[in-house]
Amino acid sequence: MRILSKIYDGRIKAYSALFEFSVSQYLEIAKAILQNNNFQRRRVKSSSSVYSLLREDLKAGCTIPPLVLALSNDNLQITPSSSDESDEEIVTQVSSNVERLVILDGLQRTYTLIDVERELQQKRDEEILQSFYSHKLRLEIYLGINKLGILYRMLTLNTGQSPMSLRHQVEILYSDYLNHNVQGIYLLREVDESRPSQLGEYNFNDIVNGFTSYILRDESTIDRSDLLENIKSLEKLALENQDRDLFQNYLSSYHKLVLRMNELSNGWLFNEEDSGIELSGRAFGASAIKIFTRPQIMTGFGAAVGYLRDKELVDSFEDISKKIDEIHHEDDAETAFNNLVIKLDEIRKKAKKIGNAQRMYFYYLFRELFNEMGDAFLVLDQAIEAAYKRYLLNE
Amino acid sequence: MGLEIKDPITGQITLLDQVTTEVSQQSLFFGLFNSNDPKSKFYVQYILEVYDDYQVSDYSLHLFKSSTLNSENNIFQVYEKDANIRVGWIFPIQSLVSNEHNYKDNVHFLRYAYVAFLKLLINAENHKIHTPDSNPDGVYELTDFYGDDLIILTLCDAKWKSINNFNIENYIISLYEYGYYSCEPIDTIKQLPGRSAFLPVDGVKILLQKIAPGLEKDVYLSRLFKSLLKTEEHPLIRFYLLYQVIELIIERILEKDFRALINNFSTSLNKKVFELKDEIAKVTSEKERISKLVHSMSGHMDANCKTNLQLCCNDLLSSFGEDHKSDLALSLYAARGSIVHRFRSLPESDIQKIESINREFEAILIDILLNYQE
C-alpha cells in the first residue's frame, strides 16, 4: 500500500489521498468492511451481464477506476495538518482503523473482486490467482471527513450511476450509532430481537427514516433511489453547516420532543370507556409516549423541520430544541390528547394509505407547532386542530 | 405465470416463476426467483401477522378497482345474498402491505390476506401487471407489481361450490353496484359520474346478488359492466350504452308476449283477426313495452332513484321544449326519443342533464337486471 497523492477537499473539509493497493491487500480490508457494516452488504441484483464481463476482464488483469472509501474523523487524529504527516503515518492510521472505513463508491466492483477470488480458489488455478492478487488497483480514501461530508460525497459519486437510495446511504453511514448510548438515547436494530421499550430507546430504522425525511423534505420516505432524489438531497445538504452532526441533532431534538410530550400529557392514558369516545379501531397510541414514538411522527417531524428551515422560519434542530421547552396546551391535557386520538381515528377511517396519511398529518402538526408566524405556534391543542384542517384540504 | 422484473440497463426481463418463504430479522419474506436461476432471488416482505393454515389452492382471486370503496380500511366480508353464507373477503391491496388498519388483528381476515398475498406473488391467473426495474436491494413491495389501487376479492372455493352454479361472472353487476369494477392491475379507472355506489351492510358486509335468471349468458351485459361503462365518459354515449339494456329486456318481453298471443290465437276457437292485429300493434309498441317493464319492476326499484329519474327526464324534456310527463315510463321514453332524434338541438350547457339521468338510470337498470322475472 502506498500513497500516490494527497489533496485537501475544501467543500467537505477532508483530505483525499490516493493509494495504490494490491488486489490482495484491498480484498483483506474490503472483507473487514463488509463484515463490520451490515448495511453495506447488499448486492445489486441487476446488470449481471455487466458484472460477469467485469469478472472476465479482472481475470485478464484489467485496471478498474479508483474505488472511493472514507474514514470518518470521529476519534481520529487526522487534522488539516495531516498533509504534513508522513505517508507512513497516514497508512498506519488507515490500516489500524479498517473497521471504520466505508465504501462510498465501488461496492459492486468489490463484490465482483471477491467473486473472482472465490472462483479462482475453487478452480485451484494458483498461477492466475497469484497474478490476480498482485495486480494493482487505486483507492481514493477521504480522511478525517465528517458524516455529513461523507453523505455529500456519496451522493455526488452516486449521482448518475447505479442507484442507491438516500435512505440506504444514511443507514450505512450512521450505523455506528447502533447499540450505543448517546445522551440517554439508545438506537436498536430490529435484528437484535429487541424492541424499544424504555424511554429513549428507538428503532434505528425509524430514526433513519425520520432523518431521511428531513433531508428530502418529504414525510413519505419511500425507499427508492433516483437521480432527482439525489440532486434534491445535495441541494439541501449544501445548505447545512458541515461542522454540525446533523443526525445527532435530529435525534436529540426528536428525543426532547418525546420527553416534552410525555411531560405535557401529565400521565394521560386513553381509555375508551372512561372517555366515552368511540373509535373505529384501536387508538393510534394510548399514551403520549406510545403516540410520539411511532415512526410516523419521526418522519413527519423530520419533513416539517426541513420545510420550516427552507422557509427560514427555523435555523436548525438546535433552534427547534429550544422551542420544544415552550410547547404548551390551552385546554387540559386529557382534552388535548383525546382530541389527537380522535383526529387520528378519523384519518384512519378514510385514508387510502393510512400510514402515509398519518405521516402527512404529523408533518402538518409540527409545521403548525413550530411556525412562529402561525396562530398555533407552540400551542399543542391548536396545532392538532389546525393540522387536521390542513390535512383535509390536502389529502 | 409469475411476476417479472426488468433489468434497466439491458432491458432483459426475468420471469419469477418460483416462490419460497424465508424468515429474516423476525419478518417473513417471500423469495422470488426463476426456476433456471435459483441463486438470483428477489424479495417481497409480508408485514402482517402470518396465518398460513389455509390451502392456497382452495381459494380464488378476482381483481377490481373502485373509486369509492378504496380506503385502506374498506375491508369487507362477502356474502352470497340468497344463500346467506360468507363466501370470502374483499379488500384493497393496501390492507396487505400495511398494518395500520382495523383488521390487522382479525384472524379471519389475516387467513384470507395471506392466501391473497401468496396467490398474487404466484400470479397463476397471469394478470396484466407492472414490471418494475430491478433495484439495488432486490427487495420489492407487492404494489410494485400490482399498483396501489387494486381491490382483491378472495373467494373460498369450497363455500361457493355449495351454491348452485356459482360463477363470479353472475355477480359482476352486483359488485358494480357497490362500485367495484372488474379490472386488470395495469388498468386505470376514472372518477366517472353515474356510477352507483351501494354501501356495505353495517359497514362490514357486501351482499352479492346474482344476475336475474335467464340473463346470465348475455354477452352484452358482461361487456357493459366489465368494460364499456368503466371507461366511457360522454353522457350521450353512456346513455346509449345503458339504454341498450332496456332494448334487451323489452325484446324479451316482446318475444314472450308475442308467443303468448300467437299461442292464444292458435288455440282459440273464435279467431278474431282484427283483434289480433291490434294486439300485435300493442305488444310491438316500444312505449307500451317500456311501460310494462317499468310497472312490473317498480317494486324492486329504489324509490328515490325512481323519483329522481323522472325529475331528471322531465328536466331534459324542458330543454327540448317538451311537456313534462306524469309517469316514469313515459318520461323515460320521451327523454330517450328526444336524445336519439333531437340531440343536435340540445344546448351544450344542458348536456349535463343527460349525465344526471344516467346516474339514476344506471341504478334503476341494476335493480332490473338483478330482479327481473319473465
Side-chain angles (χ1 to χ4, degrees):
Chain A
M1 176 190 325
R2 70 186 178 98
I3 295 181
L4 302 175
S5 91
K6 286 178 289 187
I7 303 172
Y8 185 67
D9 181 333
R11 177 69 186 84
I12 52 174
K13 296 176 184 162
Y15 271 94
S16 159
L18 189 66
F19 289 74
E20 189 179 278
F21 273 61
S22 68
V23 168
S24 60
Q25 282 172 326
Y26 177 62
L27 282 175
E28 198 176 319
I29 64 166
K31 287 175 196 165
I33 295 169
L34 298 177
Q35 185 65 37
N36 286 326
N37 195 329
N38 280 324
F39 298 101
Q40 219 163 34
R41 285 186 193 160
R42 297 177 196 170
R43 294 195 69 160
V44 171
K45 295 270 181 192
S46 65
S47 329
S48 55
S49 51
V50 175
Y51 287 106
S52 67
L53 189 63
L54 179 60
R55 265 201 306 275
E56 293 311 308
D57 287 351
L58 284 168
K59 282 188 254 174
C62 93
T63 305
I64 54 174
L67 300 143
V68 186
L69 283 75
L71 188 58
S72 66
N73 61 356
D74 309 6
N75 308 320
L76 277 185
Q77 298 304 314
I78 297 169
T79 62
S81 62
S82 294
S83 63
D84 302 331
E85 289 179 30
S86 69
D87 286 359
E88 203 176 311
E89 282 169 43
I90 291 181
V91 167
T92 311
Q93 286 278 15
V94 170
S95 38
S96 55
N97 286 287
V98 165
E99 74 287 351
R100 304 185 67 87
L101 282 166
V102 179
I103 301 172
L104 303 191
D105 184 36
L107 184 61
Q108 302 312 318
R109 278 172 286 159
T110 303
Y111 276 121
T112 309
L113 287 165
I114 294 171
D115 284 348
V116 172
E117 181 192 33
R118 192 179 301 131
E119 187 187 326
L120 293 174
Q121 282 171 341
Q122 280 169 355
K123 283 185 181 165
R124 297 172 189 279
D125 197 337
E126 201 54 36
E127 196 180 326
I128 300 181
L129 181 63
Q130 289 312 320
S131 152
F132 169 68
Y133 276 151
S134 59
H135 197 66
K136 297 280 188 283
L137 50 79
R138 296 191 192 103
L139 296 188
E140 190 184 347
I141 304 183
Y142 284 92
L143 303 160
I145 188 171
N146 69 16
K147 286 213 165 62
L148 210 56
I150 297 181
L151 193 56
Y152 192 85
R153 195 47 76 216
M154 276 174 129
L155 289 168
T156 46
L157 287 168
N158 277 320
T159 298
Q161 51 167 285
S162 178
M164 189 193 285
S165 70
L166 172 68
R167 189 200 174 284
H168 186 192
Q169 295 176 62
V170 169
E171 202 174 45
I172 291 170
L173 200 55
Y174 293 97
S175 58
D176 59 344
Y177 275 84
L178 269 166
N179 305 326
H180 291 293
N181 192 327
V182 183
Q183 296 170 17
I185 306 169
Y186 199 77
L187 298 187
L188 301 165
R189 201 169 62 193
E190 278 173 56
V191 197
D192 302 333
E193 299 190 7
S194 49
R195 289 188 176 173
S197 54
Q198 308 288 321
L199 198 54
E201 284 184 356
Y202 304 107
N203 188 314
F204 177 63
N205 279 333
D206 296 341
I207 293 291
V208 165
N209 284 339
F211 183 62
T212 309
S213 283
Y214 169 72
I215 298 175
L216 289 176
R217 313 318 200 218
D218 181 356
E219 74 283 359
S220 59
T221 64
I222 297 165
D223 189 9
R224 284 287 179 269
S225 47
D226 63 47
L227 190 58
L228 268 178
E229 184 197 73
N230 276 359
I231 292 169
K232 200 172 143 197
S233 320
L234 280 173
E235 286 169 0
K236 300 301 176 196
L237 282 180
L239 299 172
E240 298 293 342
N241 182 340
Q242 298 285 330
D243 296 330
R244 289 183 183 136
D245 185 341
L246 201 56
F247 186 82
Q248 176 63 45
N249 291 346
Y250 162 80
L251 191 54
S252 309
S253 59
Y254 165 69
H255 177 58
K256 193 168 177 187
L257 177 80
V258 174
L259 297 179
R260 181 67 185 147
M261 289 299 165
N262 186 37
E263 192 183 349
L264 283 173
S265 75
N266 198 20
W268 166 83
L269 289 174
F270 180 73
N271 184 311
E272 202 159 339
E273 256 177 47
D274 294 351
S275 65
I277 297 167
E278 203 175 318
L279 300 179
S280 71
R282 194 182 290 177
F284 181 81
S287 69
I289 294 284
K290 289 220 163 100
I291 290 175
F292 284 89
T293 51
R294 293 196 58 182
Q296 292 92 322
I297 284 80
M298 301 181 199
T299 56
F301 176 68
V305 176
Y307 168 86
L308 295 167
R309 171 121 169 65
D310 287 349
K311 297 282 173 198
E312 297 178 355
L313 292 164
V314 298
D315 180 46
S316 60
F317 281 109
E318 290 98 316
D319 199 10
I320 290 284
S321 287
K322 283 179 206 147
K323 290 188 166 105
I324 286 172
D325 290 329
E326 298 170 47
I327 299 174
H328 59 282
H329 43 70
E330 289 179 342
D331 280 331
D332 59 284
E334 192 178 341
T335 309
F337 282 88
N338 278 346
N339 192 25
L340 178 59
V341 167
I342 291 169
K343 294 284 183 288
L344 288 163
D345 191 58
E346 287 300 317
I347 290 167
R348 180 172 50 192
K349 274 193 237 170
K350 293 169 197 154
K352 287 183 184 167
K353 296 180 180 178
I354 297 171
N356 282 3
Q358 290 163 340
R359 276 189 278 272
M360 190 199 271
Y361 174 71
F362 282 107
Y363 164 70
Y364 287 128
L365 178 68
F366 295 121
R367 261 178 58 170
E368 296 293 334
L369 200 56
F370 295 114
N371 177 5
E372 59 187 38
M373 309 298 282
D375 294 339
F377 181 51
L378 301 178
V379 188
L380 180 62
D381 27 19
Q382 285 193 22
I384 289 168
E385 282 296 335
Y388 188 63
K389 282 183 193 146
R390 209 172 268 276
Y391 165 81
L392 291 178
L393 286 173
N394 292 287
E395 64 173 328
Chain B
M1 290 204 299
L3 308 184
E4 289 180 333
I5 300 272
K6 189 170 110 191
D7 186 320
I9 296 171
T10 63
Q12 188 188 335
I13 289 177
T14 307
L15 174 69
L16 308 171
D17 56 357
Q18 300 294 318
V19 181
T20 56
T21 53
E22 296 179 21
V23 175
S24 168
Q25 300 180 15
Q26 295 179 295
S27 301
L28 176 70
F29 283 83
F30 289 100
L32 311 175
F33 59 95
N34 185 280
S35 40
N36 295 322
D37 184 13
K39 280 187 184 165
S40 296
K41 273 190 187 166
F42 298 85
Y43 296 93
V44 178
Q45 190 180 0
Y46 186 73
I47 65 163
L48 294 171
E49 199 170 341
V50 177
Y51 281 88
D52 57 357
D53 39 351
Y54 282 1
Q55 281 292 324
V56 172
S57 54
D58 293 343
Y59 295 81
S60 53
L61 293 192
H62 304 277
L63 307 184
F64 298 85
K65 293 201 179 186
S66 172
S67 49
T68 48
L69 296 179
N70 57 358
S71 303
E72 190 176 316
N73 253 325
N74 286 146
I75 300 169
F76 307 111
Q77 301 168 49
V78 177
Y79 279 72
E80 208 285 341
K81 192 178 176 189
D82 294 332
N84 194 27
I85 56 170
R86 191 171 81 188
V87 289
W89 287 71
I90 193 164
F91 40 79
I93 194 166
Q94 197 56 34
S95 66
L96 298 180
V97 295
S98 159
N99 48 23
E100 294 292 341
H101 52 77
N102 291 341
Y103 286 79
K104 70 180 173 102
D105 300 320
N106 184 313
V107 178
H108 305 292
F109 163 74
L110 290 171
R111 288 191 172 115
Y112 273 82
Y114 183 84
V115 164
F117 200 98
L118 191 48
K119 282 188 88 77
L120 289 172
L121 292 182
I122 297 166
N123 190 22
E125 293 82 9
N126 221 3
H127 288 294
K128 291 174 191 157
I129 58 177
H130 303 280
T131 305
D133 283 348
S134 52
N135 67 48
D137 299 345
V139 179
Y140 295 83
E141 294 237 19
L142 190 63
T143 47
D144 293 335
F145 302 96
Y146 284 91
D148 54 10
D149 59 349
L150 197 67
I151 309 282
I152 302 147
L153 169 64
T154 310
L155 295 175
C156 170
D157 292 353
K159 285 190 179 164
W160 65 252
K161 273 177 187 156
S162 68
I163 298 163
N164 274 344
N165 300 321
F166 184 96
N167 179 348
I168 190 67
E169 291 295 314
N170 295 335
Y171 296 86
I172 290 295
I173 298 174
S174 186
L175 283 155
Y176 183 96
E177 192 175 29
Y178 281 99
Y180 292 121
Y181 312 122
S182 180
C183 278
E184 283 295 321
I186 56 167
D187 292 345
T188 48
I189 60 160
K190 302 168 195 163
Q191 179 86 43
L192 292 177
R195 287 173 165 170
S196 52
F198 248 39
L199 290 176
V201 182
D202 303 329
V204 295
K205 272 189 206 174
I206 297 284
L207 296 183
L208 292 189
Q209 188 178 351
K210 194 176 176 181
I211 189 171
L215 297 175
E216 300 100 325
K217 289 184 181 147
D218 191 278
V219 180
Y220 177 71
L221 293 178
S222 172
R223 241 176 80 211
L224 181 68
F225 287 95
K226 284 176 88 171
S227 69
L228 298 174
L229 289 178
K230 204 166 64 185
T231 51
E232 187 49 62
E233 284 180 273
H234 196 285
L236 176 67
I237 312 287
R238 280 184 80 83
F239 182 82
Y240 277 141
L241 294 173
L242 292 170
Y243 198 79
Q244 287 298 307
V245 176
I246 296 287
E247 299 275 8
L248 187 151
I249 307 262
I250 61 176
E251 192 176 278
R252 296 173 80 97
I253 292 175
L254 172 68
E255 278 173 24
K256 188 183 158 207
D257 288 354
F258 200 74
R259 265 199 311 273
L261 213 58
I262 298 299
N263 208 23
N264 281 346
F265 183 77
S266 60
T267 54
S268 169
L269 296 173
N270 184 12
K271 297 189 193 308
K272 294 175 179 168
V273 177
F274 283 104
E275 275 184 23
L276 174 66
K277 194 180 151 201
D278 289 346
E279 290 289 330
I280 289 175
K282 199 175 171 190
V283 296
T284 51
S285 153
E286 187 167 341
K287 190 172 165 184
E288 286 294 328
R289 283 181 288 150
I290 291 174
S291 282
K292 192 169 180 183
L293 172 65
V294 169
H295 293 139
S296 68
M297 294 304 297
S298 187
H300 292 288
M301 294 174 188
D302 180 272
N304 289 335
C305 287
K306 272 195 298 189
T307 309
N308 290 344
L309 181 57
Q310 190 179 339
L311 289 172
C312 291
C313 288
N314 281 338
D315 193 24
L316 182 76
L317 290 174
S318 301
S319 298
F320 284 109
E322 291 180 30
D323 293 338
H324 288 189
K325 310 290 180 210
S326 57
D327 170 84
L328 171 59
L330 293 177
S331 56
L332 178 63
Y333 180 69
R336 173 255 172 208
S338 298
I339 291 171
V340 171
H341 301 296
R342 298 180 56 211
F343 179 72
R344 64 189 180 284
S345 61
L346 185 68
E348 179 82 25
S349 57
D350 284 356
I351 290 181
Q352 52 150 358
K353 291 185 178 178
I354 304 181
E355 200 171 292
S356 305
I357 290 178
N358 288 343
R359 188 173 298 122
E360 309 300 334
F361 191 28
E362 189 177 291
I364 293 276
L365 288 179
I366 290 174
D367 287 336
I368 292 174
L369 290 170
L370 295 179
N371 299 292
Y372 177 69
Q373 288 173 327
E374 287 188 319

